[in-house]
Amino acid sequence: MTLHQWLMISVMALVVILLRAFPFLLLSGRKRPPELLFYLGKVLTAAAIAMLVVYSVFGVMDYPASGWTALPRALLAGTVTALLQWFLKNPLVSIVSGTAVFMLLR
Amino acid sequence: MFLKTVRAAFVSSMPVLMGYLTMGMAFGILLATQVKGANGLTAAVMSFFTISGSMQFAAVDMLRSAEDYSLFLTAVLALVINIRYAVYGLPFLRTFRPYPRPLKYYLIGALTDETYAIETQDRRRGRDKRLYLFCVSFFDHMYWVAGSVAGAVLGNMIPFDTAGIDFAMAALFIVVLVDLCRDRSNHIPAAVGAVVTAAVLGVFLVFFPGHFNKLLLPAMIVTIAILLALRKKLQSPAEVRE
């Protein structure tokens, strides 16, 4: 762990803490918060998670050792994860099964 | 009275217990196997101060290639990934106001999706409610820290080849996305995020191969621009509060 990594960890924690404190810091409780905040809070969450899904699934192509060959099993493992979560609604089962599929198909 | 409330809080937090312990462990294992030099202490610090699954899983990827992330970029990504927290405190604005400062700050800092779900459903009043809210937040917080530390310790002991275990990160985001998509109103924002990221990824694949970890910022800027442009269409009348 380098100093820069510890600073990154601090920055991330600070941003999350400030976000949680945001309504208490800026809004008096009587005034309605800006409508734009509600809108962004809702749509940006779904958009950001979808972004991270695409990034992390296709990101497997960026590994020097695997490259393109990792993509098919990443797509398969991702589909398995999504289907399990959709029907069983058990995050642990979905994540462990999906990761196992990806690791074992090598 | 005191013990009764503590016990009630513990019972309420039970559904979160297994979830946080196991998800915390997954995070710890991932952190220890992916980031050089990360150990139980690293996991404890991250989990104690952040308490956010999606943030910490994304953090593993960022810490792994730390040289590509300036502190500014780190802050921007953290801001967008966690933007939902900016509205979480709203239902509690009035509830928390009369509370003593340390308690108020702790309750705010420890507010997560799961804790939020439990606490917004509570109908208690007065001192009893204070204690209940504190206990629920504290129990959930400790499950998360304990799971993470256990995972990191375990991750550093795993003797077998862990290549590919970082797919757990993708799997976690898929799980969160699937749950978000049970709500129809999330479909279009999610599609925008996915399509934009795929397009930016294509550009990087052709022009900047090997630099995938730099694509989140441009993808995020384009996504936010499109979502702002779509605001009138996506914001249904029911959601506009007066």
Side-chain angles (χ1 to χ4, degrees), chain A residues 1 4-9 11-13 15-17 19-24 27-30 32-33 35-63 68 74 77-78 81-82 85-86 89 91-92 94-95 98-99 102-103 106, chain B residues 22-23 35-37 42 46 49-51 55 59 61-63 66 69 71 74-75 79 82-86 89-90 93-94 96 108-109 111 161 163-168 170-175 178-179 182-183 185-186 189-190 193-194 197 201 205 210 212-213 220 223 227 231 234-235 239 241-242:
Chain A
M1 294 292 293
H4 182 66
Q5 282 172 317
W6 281 111
L7 287 175
M8 284 173 73
I9 290 173
V11 166
M12 288 187 271
V15 168
V16 177
I17 290 171
L19 276 173
R20 287 197 177 109
F22 177 81
F24 300 89
L27 309 169
S28 67
R30 286 190 197 111
R32 290 291 314 171
E35 208 52 56
L36 187 64
L37 185 67
F38 279 107
Y39 175 69
L40 282 182
K42 180 156 173 53
V43 294
L44 217 46
T45 297
I49 296 295
M51 175 182 299
L52 288 169
V53 167
V54 173
Y55 169 72
S56 52
V57 169
F58 286 84
V60 297
M61 287 192 291
D62 212 28
Y63 302 161
W68 282 98
T81 311
Q85 181 60 21
W86 183 260
K89 300 182 187 176
L92 188 69
S94 316
I95 292 174
T99 310
F102 184 78
M103 289 175 78
R106 255 182 316 146
Chain B
T22 50
M23 208 61 90
V35 181
K36 243 186 216 144
T42 324
M46 290 179 76
F49 289 105
T50 316
I51 335 177
M55 175 76 262
D61 179 68
M62 289 156 74
L63 290 171
Y69 290 93
L71 294 181
T74 306
L79 189 70
N82 298 288
I83 188 80
R84 67 183 183 287
Y85 284 125
L90 294 173
L93 272 179
R94 275 154 210 268
F96 290 176
I108 294 169
L111 207 54
D161 183 10
I165 202 169
D166 47 344
F167 190 81
L172 171 95
F173 293 134
I174 291 171
V175 162
V178 165
D179 286 339
R182 291 185 207 277
D183 179 355
S185 64
N186 281 327
T197 312
L201 201 133
L205 200 59
F212 271 19
N213 42 33
M220 213 162 258
T223 304
L227 288 174
R231 188 178 169 197
L234 290 182
Q235 206 165 29
E239 277 173 84
R241 305 153 194 229
E242 76 270 12

Side-chain angles (χ1 to χ4, degrees), chain B residues 155-208:
Chain B
N156 276 330
M157 295 193 306
I158 292 181
F160 55 85
D161 183 10
T162 55
I165 202 169
D166 47 344
F167 190 81
M169 188 158 34
L172 171 95
F173 293 134
I174 291 171
V175 162
V176 176
L177 184 66
V178 165
D179 286 339
L180 280 172
C181 283
R182 291 185 207 277
D183 179 355
R184 281 185 161 276
S185 64
N186 281 327
H187 288 188
I188 294 174
V192 170
V195 171
V196 168
T197 312
V200 174
L201 201 133
V203 172
F204 269 69
L205 200 59
V206 177
F207 297 103
F208 317 102

